[in-house]
Amino acid sequence: MFRIWKYSNKQYVTMRFVDETVIHVKAGNGGHGCIAFLREKFRPQGGPCGGDGGKGGDIIFVSDDQMSTLQDLPKNHHYKAGRGEHGKGKNCHGKNGTNLIIKIPTGTIVRDSKTKYIIHDFKKNGDEFTIAKGGNGGFGNARFKTKNNVAPKIANDGSFGQELTLDLELKVLADVGLV
Protein backbone atom coordinates (compact mmCIF):
# COMPACT_ATOMS: atom_id res chain seq x y z
CA MET A 1 0.00 0.00 0.00
CA PHE A 2 1.43 3.35 -0.98
CA ARG A 3 0.90 6.62 0.80
CA ILE A 4 1.54 9.84 -1.13
CA TRP A 5 1.98 13.12 0.70
CA LYS A 6 3.05 16.59 -0.41
CA TYR A 7 5.58 18.86 1.17
CA SER A 8 6.35 22.19 -0.49
CA ASN A 9 5.20 21.15 -4.01
CA LYS A 10 7.17 17.89 -3.91
CA GLN A 11 5.53 14.51 -3.69
CA TYR A 12 6.99 11.77 -1.54
CA VAL A 13 5.90 8.16 -1.76
CA THR A 14 6.16 5.91 1.27
CA MET A 15 5.52 2.17 1.21
CA ARG A 16 3.88 0.45 4.17
CA PHE A 17 4.96 -3.07 5.14
CA VAL A 18 2.02 -5.00 6.54
CA ASP A 19 2.98 -7.77 8.96
CA GLU A 20 -0.27 -8.08 10.98
CA THR A 21 -3.90 -8.14 9.91
CA VAL A 22 -7.32 -9.37 11.06
CA ILE A 23 -9.65 -11.20 8.67
CA HIS A 24 -13.06 -12.88 8.92
CA VAL A 25 -13.60 -16.24 7.17
CA LYS A 26 -16.89 -18.11 6.61
CA ALA A 27 -17.06 -21.61 5.14
CA GLY A 28 -20.03 -22.52 2.94
CA ASN A 29 -23.26 -23.91 4.35
CA GLY A 30 -24.51 -27.32 3.25
CA GLY A 31 -27.48 -27.59 0.89
CA HIS A 32 -30.88 -28.75 2.12
CA GLY A 33 -32.31 -32.17 1.31
CA CYS A 34 -35.29 -32.39 -1.04
CA ILE A 35 -38.77 -33.83 -0.56
CA ALA A 36 -40.05 -35.25 -3.86
CA PHE A 37 -42.17 -38.19 -5.03
CA LEU A 38 -42.30 -40.23 -8.21
CA ARG A 39 -45.62 -40.59 -9.98
CA GLU A 40 -45.76 -44.26 -10.90
CA LYS A 41 -48.79 -46.50 -11.07
CA PHE A 42 -47.85 -49.35 -8.70
CA ARG A 43 -45.91 -47.40 -6.03
CA PRO A 44 -47.70 -46.12 -2.95
CA GLN A 45 -47.84 -42.32 -3.18
CA GLY A 46 -45.34 -42.52 -6.03
CA GLY A 47 -42.35 -43.43 -3.88
CA PRO A 48 -39.75 -40.98 -2.49
CA CYS A 49 -37.08 -39.59 -4.80
CA GLY A 50 -35.66 -36.54 -2.98
CA GLY A 51 -31.91 -36.02 -3.39
CA ASP A 52 -29.31 -34.98 -0.81
CA GLY A 53 -27.89 -31.49 -0.54
CA GLY A 54 -24.29 -30.68 -1.47
CA LYS A 55 -21.44 -30.05 0.96
CA GLY A 56 -20.38 -26.45 1.59
CA GLY A 57 -16.97 -25.20 0.46
CA ASP A 58 -13.91 -25.08 2.74
CA ILE A 59 -11.52 -22.19 3.42
CA ILE A 60 -7.95 -23.34 2.71
CA PHE A 61 -4.76 -21.38 3.41
CA VAL A 62 -1.70 -22.12 1.24
CA SER A 63 1.76 -20.72 1.99
CA ASP A 64 3.68 -19.19 -0.91
CA ASP A 65 7.34 -18.14 -1.06
CA GLN A 66 6.60 -15.59 -3.79
CA MET A 67 4.65 -13.44 -1.34
CA SER A 68 6.61 -11.40 1.17
CA THR A 69 3.94 -9.35 2.93
CA LEU A 70 0.32 -9.51 4.06
CA GLN A 71 -0.34 -6.40 1.98
CA ASP A 72 -2.87 -8.07 -0.31
CA LEU A 73 -5.10 -9.33 2.53
CA PRO A 74 -6.25 -6.00 4.09
CA LYS A 75 -8.01 -5.09 0.82
CA ASN A 76 -10.63 -7.73 1.59
CA HIS A 77 -11.31 -8.44 5.27
CA HIS A 78 -14.17 -10.91 4.62
CA TYR A 79 -13.72 -14.23 2.82
CA LYS A 80 -16.61 -16.59 2.09
CA ALA A 81 -16.60 -20.01 0.41
CA GLY A 82 -19.37 -21.32 -1.86
CA ARG A 83 -22.60 -22.78 -0.52
CA GLY A 84 -23.69 -26.33 -1.32
CA GLU A 85 -26.58 -26.65 -3.74
CA HIS A 86 -29.95 -27.98 -2.55
CA GLY A 87 -31.04 -31.51 -3.49
CA LYS A 88 -33.48 -32.05 -6.36
CA GLY A 89 -36.12 -34.57 -7.38
CA LYS A 90 -35.38 -37.88 -9.15
CA ASN A 91 -32.63 -38.61 -6.58
CA CYS A 92 -30.43 -35.80 -7.92
CA HIS A 93 -27.88 -34.64 -5.37
CA GLY A 94 -26.87 -31.00 -5.13
CA LYS A 95 -23.43 -29.78 -6.20
CA ASN A 96 -20.74 -29.24 -3.59
CA GLY A 97 -19.73 -25.66 -2.87
CA THR A 98 -16.44 -24.34 -4.26
CA ASN A 99 -13.46 -24.24 -1.93
CA LEU A 100 -11.80 -20.87 -1.37
CA ILE A 101 -7.99 -20.95 -1.47
CA ILE A 102 -6.19 -18.00 0.13
CA LYS A 103 -2.47 -17.58 -0.49
CA ILE A 104 -0.39 -16.22 2.37
CA PRO A 105 3.37 -15.72 2.75
CA THR A 106 5.54 -18.43 4.26
CA GLY A 107 6.24 -17.69 7.92
CA THR A 108 2.70 -16.60 8.81
CA ILE A 109 1.12 -17.53 12.15
CA VAL A 110 -2.68 -17.90 12.19
CA ARG A 111 -4.44 -17.26 15.53
CA ASP A 112 -8.06 -17.25 16.64
CA SER A 113 -8.94 -13.65 17.58
CA LYS A 114 -11.10 -14.54 20.57
CA THR A 115 -8.98 -17.16 22.30
CA LYS A 116 -5.52 -16.17 20.90
CA TYR A 117 -4.95 -19.90 20.27
CA ILE A 118 -2.42 -20.62 17.49
CA ILE A 119 -4.27 -22.59 14.82
CA HIS A 120 -1.36 -23.16 12.43
CA ASP A 121 2.17 -21.94 11.74
CA PHE A 122 3.10 -21.97 8.04
CA LYS A 123 6.82 -22.82 7.91
CA LYS A 124 7.25 -24.45 4.49
CA ASN A 125 6.41 -23.38 0.95
CA GLY A 126 3.22 -24.99 -0.38
CA ASP A 127 1.95 -25.92 3.09
CA GLU A 128 -1.87 -26.34 2.96
CA PHE A 129 -4.23 -26.18 5.93
CA THR A 130 -8.03 -26.17 6.07
CA ILE A 131 -8.93 -23.31 8.40
CA ALA A 132 -12.74 -23.55 8.23
CA LYS A 133 -14.72 -26.62 7.14
CA GLY A 134 -17.91 -26.39 5.13
CA GLY A 135 -21.21 -27.75 6.37
CA ASN A 136 -22.54 -31.16 5.38
CA GLY A 137 -25.51 -31.43 3.05
CA GLY A 138 -28.89 -32.57 4.36
CA PHE A 139 -30.51 -35.89 3.50
CA GLY A 140 -33.44 -36.07 1.08
CA ASN A 141 -36.58 -38.07 1.76
CA ALA A 142 -35.29 -41.08 -0.25
CA ARG A 143 -32.86 -41.78 2.62
CA PHE A 144 -35.69 -42.08 5.18
CA LYS A 145 -37.63 -44.79 3.34
CA THR A 146 -38.24 -47.91 5.45
CA LYS A 147 -40.42 -50.98 5.22
CA ASN A 148 -43.03 -49.37 7.48
CA ASN A 149 -42.80 -45.82 6.08
CA VAL A 150 -42.70 -46.16 2.30
CA ALA A 151 -43.44 -42.48 1.60
CA PRO A 152 -41.63 -40.29 4.17
CA LYS A 153 -42.37 -36.58 4.11
CA ILE A 154 -39.25 -35.46 5.96
CA ALA A 155 -35.83 -34.19 4.88
CA ASN A 156 -32.83 -32.69 6.71
CA ASP A 157 -31.51 -29.17 6.39
CA GLY A 158 -27.84 -28.68 5.61
CA SER A 159 -25.50 -27.78 8.47
CA PHE A 160 -23.76 -24.43 8.80
CA GLY A 161 -20.12 -23.89 7.85
CA GLN A 162 -17.54 -22.71 10.37
CA GLU A 163 -17.12 -18.99 10.90
CA LEU A 164 -13.94 -17.52 12.43
CA THR A 165 -12.20 -14.23 12.99
CA LEU A 166 -8.44 -14.71 12.58
CA ASP A 167 -5.31 -12.75 13.44
CA LEU A 168 -2.54 -13.22 10.87
CA GLU A 169 1.00 -12.33 11.90
CA LEU A 170 4.02 -12.52 9.63
CA LYS A 171 7.32 -13.42 11.29
CA VAL A 172 9.88 -10.98 9.91
CA LEU A 173 13.56 -11.88 9.72
CA ALA A 174 15.88 -8.95 9.29
CA ASP A 175 18.88 -9.59 7.08
CA VAL A 176 21.75 -7.45 8.27
CA GLY A 177 24.91 -7.23 6.21
CA LEU A 178 28.18 -5.83 7.51
CA VAL A 179 30.30 -3.87 5.10
Side-chain angles (χ1 to χ4, degrees):
M1 182 173 285
F2 296 98
R3 186 178 297 160
I4 300 174
W5 50 282
K6 283 187 172 185
Y7 182 71
S8 68
N9 296 331
K10 293 183 181 178
Q11 287 188 351
Y12 297 95
V13 178
T14 60
M15 188 171 152
R16 187 175 70 157
F17 181 75
V18 179
D19 61 349
E20 288 182 7
T21 188
V22 177
I23 63 171
H24 183 80
V25 295
K26 168 88 170 77
N29 296 336
H32 302 311
C34 177
I35 298 175
F37 296 97
L38 291 174
R39 300 290 178 223
E40 293 181 0
K41 186 175 181 181
F42 297 109
R43 286 196 170 181
Q45 296 185 12
C49 68
D52 299 340
K55 181 187 178 300
D58 297 335
I59 303 280
I60 301 170
F61 280 4
V62 177
S63 62
D64 189 8
D65 276 344
Q66 300 297 322
M67 296 178 70
S68 60
T69 180
L70 294 172
Q71 187 172 4
D72 297 332
L73 294 177
K75 293 177 185 173
N76 185 7
H77 290 287
H78 297 279
Y79 293 93
K80 188 173 181 181
R83 179 191 172 107
E85 194 175 284
H86 301 309
K88 299 174 185 160
K90 297 184 181 177
N91 289 324
C92 292
H93 299 290
K95 290 182 183 177
N96 293 338
T98 56
N99 294 336
L100 180 64
I101 297 173
I102 302 172
K103 290 189 177 183
I104 58 173
T106 304
T108 303
I109 298 173
V110 180
R111 286 192 181 100
D112 188 1
S113 287
K114 294 177 184 172
T115 61
K116 300 301 181 194
Y117 174 75
I118 295 176
I119 296 173
H120 193 72
D121 186 5
F122 292 92
K123 296 179 182 176
K124 296 183 289 186
N125 183 28
D127 193 11
E128 287 188 15
F129 188 76
T130 303
I131 296 292
K133 296 191 182 218
N136 292 326
F139 293 145
N141 69 337
R143 292 266 187 131
F144 295 105
K145 181 180 177 183
T146 62
K147 186 168 61 170
N148 296 332
N149 188 6
V150 293
K153 295 180 182 175
I154 56 172
N156 286 348
D157 292 338
S159 59
F160 295 109
Q162 292 180 338
E163 189 169 356
L164 297 169
T165 303
L166 303 171
D167 292 333
L168 301 178
E169 180 183 342
L170 181 62
K171 295 184 285 188
V172 180
L173 298 175
D175 296 330
V176 178
L178 298 174
V179 178

